[in-house]
Amino acid sequence: MMLMQFSAAQADFPSIDRWSAEEVAAHLDFMRRTNEGLVESGEFVDGQGLAMPDQAKIVRAGDGGRPVVSDGPFPETKEFLAGWWIVDCETPERVIELAAAVSAAPGPGGRPLNMPIEVRPVMAAPTEEL
């Protein structure tokens, strides 16, 4: 799984909600072309961009398991998950190559964002240690 995270503390660009319409369109076009390439190569399993954090809800189990819902993350949140891909690659090196390519998605002014992409295996079953 490749996880795209936005970190205000580590980014030298504004969050996407402050980009021009043209910059957003270029970014989304890059993501569409990336996904199409992954489909063509047979490596795409699934992937989604996520809504901005102001649309998120935090849910916890309350008394009797009833949901307790609050808004969040809160405005002071400096990091959030922007989107994800599940890919099926022959080697770990290929996933790293894909993550680097996604990291270079265009941002304001067309400059590569170089956003951190976390790469993590998806477990099919518990490891023997568990």
Side-chain angles (χ1 to χ4, degrees):
M1 182 173 224
M2 299 188 309
L3 304 163
M4 177 179 273
Q5 300 181 16
F6 174 78
S7 170
Q10 296 177 353
D12 63 350
F13 56 87
S15 62
I16 197 167
D17 58 333
R18 297 192 340 219
W19 298 3
S20 72
E22 295 80 16
E23 291 166 338
V24 171
H27 183 79
L28 295 177
D29 184 57
F30 173 91
M31 293 301 177
R32 181 188 52 74
R33 287 183 285 114
T34 296
N35 291 345
E36 288 172 353
L38 290 169
V39 169
E40 289 172 14
S41 70
E43 296 169 309
F44 186 84
V45 176
D46 197 7
Q48 300 294 325
L50 299 175
M52 296 299 288
D54 64 345
Q55 297 181 39
K57 302 288 182 206
I58 302 298
V59 180
R60 290 186 172 85
D63 291 338
R66 278 182 254 136
V68 176
V69 181
S70 63
D71 291 335
F74 300 98
E76 63 273 7
T77 298
K78 304 250 186 284
E79 297 180 0
F80 60 88
L81 183 61
W84 52 270
W85 293 261
I86 296 178
V87 294
D88 185 10
C89 299
E90 292 292 323
T91 66
E93 293 79 16
R94 174 64 178 150
V95 179
I96 298 297
E97 179 183 311
L98 293 173
V102 169
S103 173
R111 290 188 359 231
L113 294 175
N114 297 322
M115 287 181 63
I117 306 298
E118 180 179 346
V119 174
R120 188 184 302 184
V122 176
M123 293 177 54
T127 63
E128 290 190 27
E129 295 86 38
L130 298 176

